[in-house]
Amino acid sequence: MTDSPFSFLPPLSLSVVSPSLKRIVQQVARNIRITSTPKGIQADKLAQLFAHITQGKDFATEEDIQLWMSDINLPFLSDTDYAYLWKLIDVKGDGLVHAVEFFIFLDTCEKEFAEVYEEVQGMAKPELLKFMCRDLDKLNEHGEEEMRKNEFILSRRQRSNTNQIAL
């Protein structure tokens, strides 16, 4: 029997969705349209995602992933959870994650993809529009600044509607 590349980490229950893994899949879903399984995502979309994370470099550093994941519209990830996540991503432990390594990591997040996919499919239209403001195709088409404005406007509308309902 061969050892798992993740044998240095504490075992996760296979029936439990890891909050750290779910959080990174949520971030992926903000940038590209996901399917219920990582295998269903087109290779060119994954390449586009990796180029976005690395800002065009051939590898991602811990800081690249951390910056990419610093999204105020998604749940906070503690330093401990992030360190655990980084160890899962950086299997070789050399501080550099190449595209194939990152894609193999995403392939281990099967349960998290299924859960996040269901959540996204169940979102109301205003919530989905806000969630998708970080879509890479839209960012490339409209630019970062325009998409931030759109996200801000959608957030204000959502808060305004919530406040009116609460009254």
Side-chain angles (χ1 to χ4, degrees):
M1 182 174 182
T2 61
D3 288 333
S4 163
F6 304 113
S7 60
F8 61 93
L9 297 170
L12 288 174
S13 168
L14 295 178
S15 63
V16 175
V17 172
S18 162
S20 299
L21 297 180
K22 181 178 177 183
R23 174 60 180 77
I24 198 167
V25 172
Q26 288 171 324
Q27 192 68 46
V28 169
R30 292 257 296 160
N31 292 142
I32 60 174
R33 296 190 192 280
I34 66 166
T35 61
S36 60
T37 173
K39 289 177 177 57
I41 300 172
Q42 295 176 359
D44 63 328
K45 288 296 174 186
L46 289 173
Q48 181 185 20
L49 174 67
F50 193 75
H52 173 71
I53 293 168
T54 64
Q55 300 170 12
K57 297 184 306 227
D58 291 337
F59 57 87
T61 64
E62 186 172 359
E63 292 76 29
D64 291 332
I65 301 288
Q66 199 164 31
L67 179 65
W68 170 65
M69 290 188 64
S70 62
D71 187 331
I72 62 169
N73 293 301
L74 290 175
F76 174 75
L77 196 61
S78 72
D79 289 343
T80 302
D81 287 339
Y82 182 77
Y84 178 77
L85 182 62
W86 178 249
K87 285 184 179 182
L88 289 173
I89 297 169
D90 184 20
V91 176
K92 294 186 286 183
D94 63 358
L96 303 176
V97 174
H98 295 275
V100 172
E101 201 174 354
F102 184 69
F103 303 151
I104 289 170
F105 161 75
L106 289 179
D107 201 39
T108 67
C109 301
E110 190 84 26
K111 289 184 185 321
E112 291 77 13
F113 268 88
E115 184 171 317
V116 171
Y117 178 78
E118 288 302 316
E119 288 173 3
V120 170
Q121 295 303 308
M123 287 180 179
K125 186 173 181 178
E127 185 181 6
L128 181 61
L129 288 173
K130 182 181 168 197
F131 187 80
M132 295 303 296
C133 274
R134 307 307 301 162
D135 181 84
L136 294 180
D137 290 335
K138 291 179 183 176
L139 282 171
N140 290 335
E141 181 180 342
H142 301 289
E144 183 79 32
E145 189 61 34
E146 185 67 27
M147 293 312 296
R148 283 180 202 234
K149 286 179 190 176
N150 288 344
E151 191 169 24
F152 177 75
I153 290 167
L154 289 167
S155 292
R156 286 188 63 194
R157 281 188 194 149
Q158 197 172 22
R159 282 194 307 268
S160 176
N161 290 340
T162 304
N163 290 340
Q164 288 175 358
I165 292 169
L167 298 176

